């Protein structure tokens, strides 16, 4: 007994002898870190003061500002809105598009989106954009890109210290950098949460998805490790997100996830992205005249999450079970952009799937087509098709509705919560989830009388005005107002 007591006492003294120095060392490191961060903040602020008197600088962090997607439309509409409202503001864009000049980028925005800026924009060109490329991180991609964005953000901060900083592309890990080291008022526009509760549930339930490989779902140990990694990342994501003074999200779906992860309800609001609805509303809305062919049109980039195989399989099932031998003939037209060789390979695989299902003659691929051709296809289409699970918003869905197609979208995300919803009590479109339900719903839409389809198309058109440029300007200005007080 005595020997056992002495042994325990010795063990306790050993632990104390190790713990006390460890605590001291940890405290010393924390103090050194705080001193370092304080020194960096003073140094950054001193650089800002050396610039002398200047207009209010509002900087947007958008490393891919010369791309032509919906996120870029939000960026240029936001800049145009601020330029109209605040005369004393100079807008800055942090970008990695070094292959183009500032004038070429602005001209590209006008050519793609018909957005003309009233004042010049200052571009800060970044050299380390490769740090946020997904290809650089084959494993732990979320964490790798997020940490890479911190280094890219540091480069941006060293080149220009703004008064107001807005992350417009989803790099939330840059927010504490500009808030605490740059001394900036911070805001962000979230198109899609970097991690969501659905992503956690997919890993927890061991479901195979494009972002959850089969070799992980089949191994319980790998699944548990990935789940721990996701929870850790979600915790970090919540911490950095809470550093934003103003949070704007693009849909109710995104809002629900950001509220659960960032817990920033007091300063979070939904600001629907500006869709160029007027361009599509110019398409005459008439009763269908063609009795020889009906077309079903899909608009989306050829990316894995868009789930084009589901569209093709559902269409093949429709031809086999619902429309066999019936007239008019059906065509599925897949319209989208290919960004790189991976996208092109994806299209080739889709064509092979069409051959396998025997629908090659009925499916048409239109890649990187001019805008006028896109409008032409939509003007003739009967159904607009969308199949992405948990689409954060769905600009393509809005465009199809504005153009006058009967929309059939996925029963999740933005389309379910914000877009394909009753308008003044009237139906604006339809939703589906599985291969069978898509085929059945397409058959149902085609079975409706032209008069009934016209009624649904008119309802949908009236409903899309809430996604216009004008509505975006009003809600955006209301949301960012605290940053200018």
């Amino acid at each position: 007994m005595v020997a056992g007591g002495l042994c325990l006492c010795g063990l306790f003294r050993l632990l104390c002898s190790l713990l006390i120095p460890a605590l001291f060392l940890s405290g010393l490191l924390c103090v050194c870190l705080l001193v370092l961060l304080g020194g960096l903040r003073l140094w950054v602020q001193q650089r800002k003061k050396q610039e002398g008197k200047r207009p209010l600088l509002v900087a947007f962090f958008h490393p891919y500002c010369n791309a032509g997607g919906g996120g870029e439309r939000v960026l240029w509409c936001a800049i145009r809105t601020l330029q109209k409202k605040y005369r004393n503001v100079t807008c800055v864009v942090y970008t990695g598009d070094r292959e183009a000049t500032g004038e070429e980028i602005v001209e590209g925005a006008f050519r793609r989106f018909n957005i003309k800026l009233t004042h010049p924009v200052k571009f800060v060109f970044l050299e380390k954009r490769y740090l946020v490329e997904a290809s650089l991180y084959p494993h732990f991609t979320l964490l790798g890109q997020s940490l890479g964005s911190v280094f890219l953000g540091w480069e941006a901060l060293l080149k220009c210290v703004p008064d107001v900083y807005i992350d417009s592309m989803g790099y939330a890990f840059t927010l504490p950098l500009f808030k605490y080291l740059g001394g900036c008022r911070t805001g962000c526009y979230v198109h899609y949460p970097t991690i969501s509760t659905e992503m956690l549930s997919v890993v927890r339930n061991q479901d195979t998805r494009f972002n959850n490989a089969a070799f992980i779902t089949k191994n319980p140990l790998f699944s548990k490790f990935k789940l721990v990694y996701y929870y850790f990342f979600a915790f970090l994501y919540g911490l950095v997100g809470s550093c934003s003074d103003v949070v704007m999200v693009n849909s109710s779906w995104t809002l629900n996830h950001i509220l659960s992860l960032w817990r920033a309800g007091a300063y979070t609001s939904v600001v629907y992205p500006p869709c160029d609805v007027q361009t599509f509303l110019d398409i005459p809305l008439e009763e269908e005249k063609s009795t020889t062919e009906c077309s079903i049109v899909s608009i989306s980039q050829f990316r894995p999450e868009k789930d084009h195989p589901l569209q093709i399989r559902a269409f093949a099932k429709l031809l086999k079970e619902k429309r066999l031998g019936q007239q008019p003939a059906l065509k599925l037209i897949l319209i989208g952009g290919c960004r790189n060789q991976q996208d092109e390979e994806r299209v080739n695989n889709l064509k092979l799937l069409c051959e396998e299902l025997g629908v090659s003659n009925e499916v048409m691929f239109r890649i990187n087509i001019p805008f006028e051709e896109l409008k032409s296809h939509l003007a003739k289409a009967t159904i607009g098709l969308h199949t992405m699970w948990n689409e954060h918003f769905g600009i393509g869905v809005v465009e199809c509705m504005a153009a006058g197609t009967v929309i059939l979208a996925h029963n999740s995300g933005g389309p379910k919560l914000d877009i394909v919803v009753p308008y003044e009590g009237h139906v604006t479109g339809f939703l589906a989830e599985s291969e069978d339900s898509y085929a059945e719903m397409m058959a149902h839409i085609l079975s409706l009388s032209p008069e009934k389809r016209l009624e649904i198309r008119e309802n949908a058109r009236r409903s899309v005005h809430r996604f216009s440029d004008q509505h975006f300007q009003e809600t955006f200005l209301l949301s960012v107002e605290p940053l200018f007080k």
Side-chain angles (χ1 to χ4, degrees), residues 259-442:
L259 289 180
S260 67
L261 292 165
W262 291 8
R263 306 192 183 284
Y267 44 91
T268 302
S269 57
V270 176
V271 178
Y272 291 129
C275 304
D276 192 14
V277 295
Q278 190 55 53
T279 302
F280 294 97
L281 290 172
D282 291 339
I283 298 174
L285 194 61
E286 302 171 350
E287 282 194 28
E288 303 153 27
K289 296 177 180 178
S290 175
T291 57
T292 59
E293 183 177 282
C294 277
S295 62
I296 301 169
V297 171
S298 163
I299 306 174
S300 60
Q301 289 184 323
F302 289 100
R303 304 203 306 258
E305 65 269 24
K306 298 299 182 180
D307 206 352
H308 289 91
L310 174 57
Q311 298 180 3
I312 295 170
R313 288 195 298 269
F315 179 69
K317 185 176 283 288
L318 172 69
L319 291 180
K320 181 180 178 182
E321 298 181 3
K322 307 295 183 184
R323 303 288 297 173
L324 189 61
Q326 297 182 23
Q327 292 295 328
L330 289 177
K331 278 278 185 184
L332 174 62
I333 305 173
L334 303 181
I335 301 172
C338 279
R339 304 161 298 173
N340 48 42
Q341 187 178 349
Q342 286 180 320
D343 287 354
E344 291 171 4
E345 291 173 0
R346 201 167 288 117
V347 170
N348 290 332
N349 289 334
L350 292 173
K351 289 178 179 178
L352 291 174
L353 178 62
C354 290
E355 290 179 12
E356 180 185 326
L357 297 174
V359 295
S360 294
N361 295 331
E362 288 79 20
V363 179
M364 180 190 303
F365 291 84
R366 304 299 298 143
I367 301 166
N368 298 331
I369 63 174
F371 184 69
E372 287 305 314
E373 184 181 343
L374 168 66
K375 283 180 66 176
S376 175
H377 283 299
L378 284 173
K380 299 172 186 174
T382 302
I383 299 174
L385 192 60
H386 163 275
T387 50
M388 179 177 169
W389 172 71
N390 273 339
E391 174 86 84
H392 49 293
F393 179 69
I395 289 178
V397 175
V398 173
E399 290 174 346
C400 284
M401 292 169 70
T405 69
V406 178
I407 190 67
L408 174 56
H410 199 281
N411 189 27
S412 64
K416 175 185 179 180
L417 297 175
D418 293 309
I419 304 174
V420 191
V421 296
Y423 180 72
E424 296 180 350
H426 300 291
V427 174
T428 58
F430 300 91
L431 300 167
E433 294 181 40
S434 63
E435 181 181 321
D436 289 337
S437 61
Y438 268 100
E440 289 170 7
M441 197 55 72
M442 282 190 282

Side-chain angles (χ1 to χ4, degrees), residues 123-278:
F123 289 92
V124 176
F125 291 94
L126 307 176
E127 299 176 7
K128 297 180 175 60
R129 189 176 71 178
Y130 65 89
L131 292 175
V132 297
E133 295 280 355
S135 58
L136 191 63
Y137 312 99
H139 306 292
F140 301 100
T141 310
L142 294 180
L143 187 60
Q145 286 184 289
S146 297
L147 294 177
S149 72
V150 175
F151 289 99
L152 187 63
W154 177 245
E155 180 191 351
L157 187 60
L158 289 180
K159 290 185 174 181
C160 176
V161 185
D163 300 291
V164 176
Y165 171 79
I166 299 176
D167 165 38
S168 54
M169 210 175 170
Y171 293 105
F173 279 68
T174 62
L175 290 167
L177 193 68
F178 280 83
K179 184 180 181 74
Y180 296 115
L181 295 186
C184 310
R185 285 159 279 172
T186 55
C188 62
Y189 188 95
V190 183
H191 297 274
Y192 195 91
T194 306
I195 192 166
S196 67
T197 52
E198 263 91 357
M199 291 170 67
L200 292 169
S201 65
V202 164
V203 177
R204 190 186 304 111
N205 299 331
Q206 295 181 254
D207 294 336
T208 301
R209 300 265 180 176
F210 73 93
N211 58 355
N212 195 38
F215 80 89
I216 292 178
T217 61
K218 292 175 181 176
N219 189 309
L221 182 62
F222 285 175
S223 290
K224 282 184 171 53
F225 179 78
K226 185 170 184 178
L227 188 61
V228 170
Y229 160 57
Y230 268 18
Y231 271 111
F232 171 69
F233 184 84
F235 171 73
L236 293 179
Y237 187 57
L239 285 180
V240 298
S242 64
C243 296
S244 186
D245 300 314
V246 165
V247 180
M248 294 167 281
V249 298
N250 65 347
S251 68
S252 299
W253 182 87
T254 307
L255 175 68
N256 294 335
H257 288 282
I258 289 299
L259 289 180
S260 67
L261 292 165
W262 291 8
R263 306 192 183 284
Y267 44 91
T268 302
S269 57
V270 176
V271 178
Y272 291 129
C275 304
D276 192 14
V277 295
Q278 190 55 53

Side-chain angles (χ1 to χ4, degrees), residues 18-28:
L18 293 174
L19 184 61
I20 292 172
L23 289 174
F24 176 76
L25 184 60
S26 299
L28 184 62

